Amino acid sequence: MAMGINESSEKDDIVKVGAIVLAFFCSALLLWASGSPIWLVDNQSLGSLPFSIVENNKSNDHSENLTISQGYCDIFVGSWVYDESYDLYSGNQCPYSSPVFDCQKNGRKDSEYKKWRWQPLDCDIPRFNASDLLNRLRGKRLVYVGDSISHSQWESMVCLLTQSDGHGKGQSSVTTFHQGGTSGYLLKEYNCSIELSWSPFLVRQHNAPDKETLQIDTIDDPASVWKTADILVFSTGHWWTHPLPLAGKDYYEEGGFVHPHMEESVAFEKALRTWARWVDTNIDPLHTQVFFRTYSPVHFNGKMWGKKEGGGCFKETEPIAKLEEEQVKINPDMKRVLTMGNVTQEMKSKVKVVNITWMSMHRKDAHSSVYNKRDENRTESDYSKADCSHWCLPGLPDVWNHLLSVLII
């Protein structure tokens, strides 16, 4: 449905006001966790804060179109702007994305959810440029490490690099491979690979015949292939909300000892510190850029935006215009971001944090809802089947990758 100019402007203003107010509130929360003033850091500490900063003195070629208004820019503080031209690629055009989350192919009629562009408050970021990013990735390995949300972000990046900007290289120039704990696509012309390493907790799951535990003091087995990557994008979160981790009963293991009970939040921080120690010990900062994408929020509870009934994200077609500060403060998604901020702040290594949590909290409209193939028995009218955890693709993960592309050197 095309949107008139006046209607579009009104929608933009509503979402912008709510987003900016929430942005500053969340910035305050994260700064409190890090204990450092965000605007006074230099470029060398870019990724050690909960928000990543792109400064105007950065000399990388890809930053020349980054317009800075006040000498600094936090690209994760901003607002959602409806933009008819912001349609990076079509799911039908990309053979590398799974049909599971191609919402339009699975029956979704509206398409506005693909056309919300992220606008930072203090700068303008360039449109996504596949050729420019491919040149920066030439001869390199970009590896996403995480769960099914990371899987979607991985597929999104492959589609962006091969289909957007009219770049479409076609299948003949892309080959798939599975080796050493990763699955990937090799873009032969640039000799670069975009890979996924499945590791939903980042630490080792131990599956014995009679018992399953999570070894929160041991990095996950695929870590051996992470060492040689040029760019690593880590994430964890959703599997911590499954029944066993949430209950924490006879599940978390340290030093061979299985704790009778441990709070999920405590185990989550211990696991992140295990990951942090591994990065500090094993990653060469002169060779590898390390990113951590924050928790991808869910929208199962419609009360968060005043919905009285109807299954959370079910039939939602617009972002949340305003989120109340108290709702954000108590939201477990933000608590995980604060924990992550504390851990990365104490690391010796330079880690750039891709803080997508609060900006994605607004996007109740962007989930796959009932328009996915994860449940073949679902119907479009059954909101109990709505998936308010995963995202449509094309969709929001493309925006995350757009922002990531600004930070990749």
Side-chain angles (χ1 to χ4, degrees):
M1 177 182 66
M3 183 176 296
I5 294 176
N6 292 336
E7 184 181 353
S8 176
S9 298
E10 182 180 356
K11 176 180 281 190
D12 293 351
D13 290 343
I14 291 173
V15 175
K16 181 177 292 187
V17 171
I20 290 174
V21 170
L22 181 61
F24 283 115
F25 174 74
C26 292
S27 294
L29 277 177
L30 288 167
L31 290 175
W32 170 79
S34 69
S36 298
I38 193 167
W39 303 128
L40 301 180
V41 296
D42 61 24
N43 196 44
Q44 292 305 309
S45 55
L46 171 67
S48 64
L49 291 177
F51 286 113
S52 294
I53 309 299
V54 178
E55 299 202 0
N56 63 342
N57 62 353
K58 199 158 184 176
S59 59
N60 305 308
D61 292 341
H62 69 282
S63 297
E64 62 184 5
N65 295 322
L66 188 66
T67 304
I68 309 292
S69 62
Q70 300 179 33
Y72 52 76
C73 179
D74 181 342
I75 62 173
F76 301 103
V77 173
S79 57
W80 289 103
V81 177
Y82 187 79
D83 184 345
E84 281 281 358
S85 68
Y86 196 71
D87 198 353
L88 295 172
Y89 64 93
S90 165
N92 293 330
Q93 294 175 344
C94 185
Y96 312 111
S97 63
S98 167
V100 173
F101 299 120
D102 186 341
C103 295
Q104 292 198 298
K105 185 181 290 185
N106 295 329
R108 184 166 181 171
K109 302 294 191 299
D110 66 297
S111 61
E112 284 84 355
Y113 66 92
K114 297 191 297 180
K115 298 177 181 179
W116 287 93
R117 173 175 55 82
W118 181 251
Q119 175 60 55
L121 178 62
D122 290 310
C123 61
D124 293 319
I125 59 177
R127 291 275 178 153
F128 182 82
N129 186 319
S131 297
D132 170 65
L133 183 55
L134 281 166
N135 281 320
R136 280 183 274 141
L137 293 176
R138 189 183 295 274
K140 295 180 179 179
R141 293 176 59 220
L142 165 57
V143 182
Y144 292 90
V145 183
D147 55 19
S148 56
I149 306 296
S150 294
H151 186 282
S152 289
Q153 193 177 1
W154 165 60
E155 290 185 341
S156 161
M157 180 60 86
V158 178
C159 290
L160 285 168
L161 290 174
T162 59
Q163 306 300 315
S164 64
D165 299 333
H167 188 80
K169 285 292 181 179
Q171 298 186 51
S172 61
S173 64
V174 181
T175 58
T176 60
F177 64 88
H178 305 276
Q179 63 181 25
T182 69
S183 299
Y185 293 93
L186 175 66
L187 283 64
K188 291 185 284 188
E189 180 179 343
Y190 294 86
N191 189 32
C192 70
S193 62
I194 314 300
E195 304 173 35
L196 173 72
S197 178
W198 180 260
S199 182
F201 293 104
L202 302 182
V203 292
R204 181 186 292 162
Q205 293 174 271
H206 180 65
N207 296 306
D210 58 339
K211 193 172 191 61
E212 177 183 342
T213 62
L214 188 66
Q215 298 175 336
I216 54 178
D217 60 347
T218 305
I219 199 70
D220 206 359
D221 293 333
S224 59
V225 301
W226 305 343
K227 290 183 182 181
T228 55
D230 299 278
I231 302 166
L232 287 164
V233 184
F234 291 99
S235 189
T236 186
H238 279 235
W239 279 47
W240 293 90
T241 66
H242 291 185
L244 277 176
L246 274 182
K249 184 178 180 181
D250 297 323
Y251 182 65
Y252 295 116
E253 181 178 347
E254 286 183 290
F257 173 74
V258 178
H259 294 274
H261 181 263
M262 180 181 287
E263 293 292 333
E264 176 268 331
S265 59
V266 174
F268 180 73
E269 180 170 350
K270 285 177 174 284
L272 281 184
R273 293 192 181 281
T274 296
W275 164 81
R277 287 192 297 272
W278 182 89
V279 171
D280 282 342
T281 303
N282 291 276
I283 295 299
D284 179 0
L286 298 178
H287 174 263
T288 303
Q289 299 174 64
V290 180
F291 296 88
F292 196 103
R293 175 183 56 73
T294 60
Y295 187 80
S296 170
V298 300
H299 291 89
F300 289 102
N301 187 355
K303 292 180 180 178
M304 186 177 181
W305 59 92
K307 190 173 187 176
K308 296 179 179 175
E309 59 181 21
C313 68
F314 180 68
K315 289 191 175 180
E316 294 292 340
T317 59
E318 293 185 354
I320 300 173
K322 183 180 180 181
L323 288 169
E324 298 298 330
E325 292 182 0
E326 284 304 312
Q327 292 174 318
V328 176
K329 188 175 181 180
I330 64 173
N331 192 305
D333 300 348
M334 285 308 301
K335 291 179 180 179
R336 290 187 179 90
V337 177
L338 290 171
T339 299
M340 179 274 307
N342 284 330
V343 171
T344 55
Q345 180 65 23
E346 296 171 12
M347 294 176 66
K348 294 183 297 182
S349 300
K350 177 176 167 182
V351 176
K352 300 178 186 179
V353 178
V354 184
N355 185 21
I356 57 85
T357 304
W358 82 263
M359 62 181 285
S360 302
M361 278 186 184
H362 286 268
R363 299 305 310 274
K364 61 179 172 58
D365 60 312
H367 289 287
S368 62
S369 185
V370 295
Y371 304 107
N372 65 71
K373 291 187 175 180
R374 300 185 80 226
D375 186 347
E376 295 294 342
N377 296 319
R378 61 134 179 98
T379 64
E380 291 187 20
S381 61
D382 184 1
Y383 65 75
S384 69
K385 301 288 186 180
D387 181 350
C388 301
S389 174
H390 296 88
W391 308 94
C392 293
L393 201 64
L396 184 60
D398 302 321
V399 182
W400 301 345
N401 279 327
H402 184 182
L403 297 175
L404 175 66
S405 73
V406 174
L407 301 177
I408 290 176
I409 298 173

